[in-house]
Every structure is written in structure tokens, then in C-alpha cells.
Amino acid sequence: MTRQLHLGGFLIASPVTHSHAAWRHPGSETDYFGPEHYHRVGRILERGKFDFAFFADLLAAPDRFGGDQSEPFRRGTQAAATIDPSLVAASLAAVTSRLGIAVTKSATYFHPYELARVFGSLDHLTRGRIAWNIVTSLTQAEARNFGHDAHVDHEERYARAEEFVSTAIKLWSSWDADAVTADKATGVWADPTKIHPVDHIGEHYRTRGPLNQPRSPQHRPVLIQAGSSETGKNFAARWAEAIFEIDPTPEGRRAYYDDVKSRVVNFGRNPDHVKVFPSFIPFIGETESIAREKQAFHNELADPISGLITLSVHTDHDFSQYDLDAPVEDVRVSGTQGLFEVARRLSHRDSLTLRDIGKLYAQGVLLPQFVGTATDVADQIEASFTGGEADGFIVSSAQTPGTFNDFVDYVVPELQRRGLFRREYEGATLREHLGLGDAHDNLPADIRGEERVLVG
């Protein structure tokens, strides 16, 4: 059978996704804080047999660019206004039956027991369709919102995340799969010998356990990560089952794919059970010229300052202090280091100024744009997929829900015709959609051999 690709749809529970122009687009919906918008998008993605909807999130309104929040609010930039994606996921689950739902939550500003309980509950409520996108948070603004004077150092955040994830896994495994008997005749609801305390006492976290809920349908959520720094890529290769990536160049995507897959092997894991998902924005038209007009109209709406506000968020660095018409300088950033490296690489390659980078960032946070007829866009997807760049793709929108409607109506049938994408869901859970196999078998080799409570 021909190897088939996977698809996710990128969302933030807000007016802005990757595209900062999307909310200004006349074709976009404007109610981003009620359930109907997300229900509509979810139904479109499920109609297109997408593996999952992916919700990114940040925990603070931007304040890094110029040390002021007024411009982010005025311009409506990324994270200026969001609602909690875990609650959106619960609502979306009620109107879909097969679509997976990936939710971003921080491993820096929550506790493992709290998140284990949230994601275990969501996995139950979705009947096994939930994923956790693990982030370590980015900014000083997020730290202050949680009562801290300063954000934790990059390396320390990942050290905490390592303990956080391993502790959450222990909690998800604290109930054996057959612990609940619900025997009405004997009055025994669960076998206490099959429910195990965790008794975790670590450097950063303590929890007695067990989780006060039975094992969920997937055992635990599918784990997603987007590591781009050296530490981040190691963390993703150790834990993630799907990896979200941003790189606008084929050579960059290919190098990233080869790099993380080799790291996965080094952690004793099956590289086929770790799916790499680059992201792109499609512009689809009846002809190539119509698609180019759609792209040009969208890109013209992008405001460079809005892009630089979000670049400042992602890197936790204030870019208001630089000359907009000068090249991007070599500066030390503490946030998403990989994204800034991409920006710096593009600047050096194409002689781009900081204003140019801001414009590109506002158009889609450096995502490539796949443009043309449905056949043209499918050609670009197939070339990337067969060229060793991806196991699947995260489709991001230039307008919502129009981009998703066009992609599902025109590109998905072309991918199906080529045998590259499913015609129907073959499983019920997200883990089955992605072909990930058993949750325990997909852990790092050293963790698979640890204590009984981890195995369950």
C-alpha cells in the first residue's frame, strides 16, 4: 500500500492564527469567542477526513515589543485575545465523532496532576481523540501572569518539562486497563489492587497519586511538540509522537526531518511512530492567476509591526529597538530560538530588512505559501511528502473558514485520487488515525523499562 500522509488544521481560539491578516480578511468570520465558529471549522475538517484540529495557545497578551500592550490590542496581534483551548476542545468534541483535537498546555506554569487530569478527562470525553501539544512557554509576560518575577531559563524550562511529562505519564498509567469491574451483583466497582500510587518526589514536582479517574481510551493523549532548538529537538525526539515544524524552505524541512528522526532512533524509539508535520498556508484558485490574486490580496493586508510584535513574543526579545530598514541583527533570544534562526537565515539569503521579516511574519509566521490550482497545491504537497520532508502537514488558514473549505473541497479529493490520503477514517482514536501503535511501546527505551506503575 502506498504510504499515506496525515493532515492537521491549525487554529488558535482567537481572531489570529499564523496569519495576522486573517481577521481583517472580508471572507473571515468575526465571532471567535462563541462555539459556532469552532464547530463549523471542526465539521469541515472532519468532512475532509483530517487527523486532527490543532489549537496553539499563549498565556499572556504581548508586551515585549516596546514594553507596551496597547499596540498588540489595537492591531489585534497573536495572543492579544484568546479563550482556553481545552474548553473549546470539549465543545468541539460534542459535534464531531472522528476528528482528533490537539490542545496546547504549558509544562512550566501548571502542575502534572492538574494537566494529567484535564487531558485524561478530555480523552474520555472525546472517546480517545485528544492530543497534548507540550510547550514550555515563551515570555516574561506569561511568568508575571503566574506570579513570577522572571521567566525560567530556556534550559531549565526543558529540565522541568522532562520531569513534568514523565510524572504525567505515571499518573495516566496509575490505573490498570481492567481496574474497573462495575460488578453490580457483588457491589465492587473497581479492583484496588489494580490502582497504583505514584509517590513521585522529584526536583520540581511532588505528587502522591493515583489519578482519580480510570485509564482513558488512548491510555494517554497523543504527545505533540515543536522543538526547534537543540534542546527542543532532543525533547521532541524523546517524547513526541507528532512534531510540529515551521520552515519555509524545502532544504530546511528536509534537514529537520532527517535530524529529528535520527534523534528518535537514539532514544530507542521507532521513527515511524513519530510523525513530522511542517505547516503551510494554501491559496487555491480555479486558475493559478486567481490563486495568485488571492495570495497578493491577503499578503497586502499583513502589517509589518504586527509581525514584529509577534516575533518579539516568540523570541522574548524586543525588536522595537532596531532600525526597521536594516538587516536582521545577530542577537541572543531566549524564546523560540529555531524560529529566529529561520528568520535570520532568510534575511541573510535574500537581503531582507527587519521590516521585510515583520511583513513575512505577519503574513504567516514564516510559513511557506502553497499557491495555485488544486492540482498545483497537491503537487507541492506530494513533492514535499515524497521528498523526505514530512509525514504529514498542518494546514493553516489565510481566512477562516474559507481556506479550510477550499482545501477540503478541492485539494483533498486530488490527494485521495493519487492514493496519498485516506478516503474514510479507518479507526476511532487519534492514535489509530496516526498509526502510532501502543502508547507504552512508543515511550523512550529507558522509560519503558521503569517501574510497574509506568507500564500499567
Side-chain angles (χ1 to χ4, degrees):
M1 182 179 177
T2 304
R3 174 173 169 254
Q4 292 192 329
L5 58 85
H6 300 277
L7 290 173
F10 184 90
L11 294 159
I12 303 177
S14 81
V16 175
T17 55
H18 287 116
S19 165
H20 291 54
W23 75 266
R24 299 182 60 193
H25 198 289
S28 287
E29 294 181 346
T30 56
D31 180 12
Y32 298 97
F33 304 108
E36 293 83 6
H37 170 68
Y38 302 103
H39 292 177
R40 184 176 179 185
V41 172
R43 289 184 175 115
I44 292 168
L45 297 179
E46 188 163 79
R47 177 166 59 84
K49 315 304 176 187
F50 271 52
D51 294 77
F52 56 87
F54 178 101
F55 284 90
D57 195 31
L58 289 168
L59 298 171
D63 68 355
R64 200 68 173 92
F65 188 84
D68 180 36
Q69 290 185 321
S70 59
E71 282 303 293
F73 288 133
R74 189 174 75 82
R75 296 171 189 264
T77 64
Q78 194 179 83
T82 64
I83 56 178
D84 191 314
S86 62
L87 302 181
V88 178
S91 178
L92 183 55
V95 299
T96 56
S97 61
R98 295 295 186 91
L99 180 71
I101 308 169
V103 172
T104 298
K105 285 289 181 183
S106 173
T108 300
Y109 294 119
F110 298 102
H111 189 277
Y113 189 92
E114 177 186 10
L115 286 201
R117 194 162 184 263
V118 166
F119 279 100
S121 300
L122 286 171
D123 204 49
H124 279 292
L125 291 171
T126 62
R127 302 294 188 193
R129 296 185 283 134
I130 205 70
W132 173 25
N133 178 45
I134 307 163
V135 297
T136 60
S137 294
L138 297 168
T139 67
Q140 301 290 347
E142 290 172 294
R144 288 191 291 270
N145 281 350
F146 285 84
H148 303 283
D149 294 332
H151 194 34
V152 180
D153 174 79
H154 180 269
E155 298 302 310
E156 177 68 10
R157 292 202 307 272
Y158 275 103
R160 287 174 180 248
E162 175 78 19
E163 184 182 342
F164 192 111
V165 174
S166 64
T167 304
I169 287 173
K170 293 176 185 178
L171 289 162
W172 287 317
S173 297
S174 60
W175 289 59
D176 289 356
D178 59 350
V180 177
T181 59
D183 190 329
K184 294 184 179 181
T186 64
V188 175
W189 188 81
D191 182 347
T193 67
K194 296 184 177 183
I195 304 169
H196 315 285
V198 171
D199 292 328
H200 174 80
I201 301 175
E203 184 177 352
H204 305 289
Y205 304 103
R206 298 177 64 180
T207 184
R208 180 174 181 270
L211 201 62
N212 65 335
Q213 60 185 224
R215 181 174 297 188
S216 70
Q218 293 187 116
H219 185 160
R220 57 175 168 78
V222 171
L223 302 181
I224 301 179
Q225 223 270 328
S228 54
S229 66
E230 286 299 304
T231 305
K233 284 187 285 189
N234 278 331
F235 183 87
R238 177 167 167 77
W239 293 111
E241 295 165 295
I243 298 175
F244 175 72
E245 182 216 0
I246 293 178
D247 196 297
T249 66
E251 60 273 17
R253 294 191 294 270
R254 194 174 303 115
Y256 183 92
Y257 187 92
D258 291 342
D259 185 8
V260 296
K261 291 282 187 170
S262 66
R263 294 175 194 239
V264 167
V265 173
N266 291 340
F267 285 111
R269 303 177 65 206
N270 183 346
D272 292 336
H273 290 170
V274 179
K275 311 296 183 181
V276 177
F277 284 82
S279 189
F280 66 86
I281 300 174
F283 293 89
I284 305 153
E286 294 83 353
T287 66
E288 182 180 352
S289 62
I290 291 173
R292 295 287 176 194
E293 288 177 9
K294 289 182 176 182
Q295 179 192 31
F297 179 80
H298 166 271
N299 287 351
E300 187 58 32
L301 293 174
D303 165 33
I305 299 302
S306 292
L308 291 176
I309 288 170
T310 297
L311 179 62
S312 295
V313 170
H314 289 174
T315 58
D316 201 22
H317 187 83
D318 182 8
F319 282 95
S320 70
Q321 60 189 302
Y322 301 103
D323 181 356
L324 291 180
D325 296 312
V328 175
E329 296 188 31
D330 291 338
V331 297
R332 185 179 185 276
V333 301
S334 59
T336 306
Q337 298 176 13
L339 266 179
F340 181 66
E341 183 55 40
V342 171
R344 185 161 44 199
R345 175 158 44 94
L346 289 175
S347 178
H348 291 170
R349 187 191 70 181
D350 300 332
S351 300
L352 302 180
T353 65
L354 186 60
R355 188 189 306 275
D356 296 328
I357 290 295
K359 184 80 168 176
L360 286 174
Y361 225 79
Q363 289 168 4
V365 190
L366 305 183
L367 264 61
Q369 297 180 346
F370 289 3
V371 186
T373 64
T375 300
D376 295 333
V377 173
D379 285 344
Q380 293 170 78
I381 292 169
E382 183 173 10
S384 181
F385 179 61
T386 60
E389 301 171 21
D391 298 302
F393 300 90
I394 304 287
V395 181
S396 195
S397 62
Q399 57 164 305
T400 308
T403 298
F404 294 127
N405 253 330
D406 287 349
F407 191 89
V408 167
D409 287 343
Y410 302 112
V411 179
V412 166
E414 179 62 23
L415 295 172
Q416 291 169 334
R417 187 188 67 77
R418 301 181 188 196
L420 292 172
F421 189 63
R422 67 169 69 89
R423 293 185 179 273
E424 296 293 340
Y425 291 109
E426 296 179 2
T429 69
L430 178 55
R431 191 169 294 281
E432 289 170 340
H433 296 344
L434 294 172
L436 296 178
D438 180 77
H440 170 68
D441 291 344
N442 217 18
L443 291 171
D446 61 315
I447 297 296
R448 288 199 301 269
E450 283 192 2
E451 65 270 24
R452 169 74 172 82
V453 71
L454 207 59
V455 178

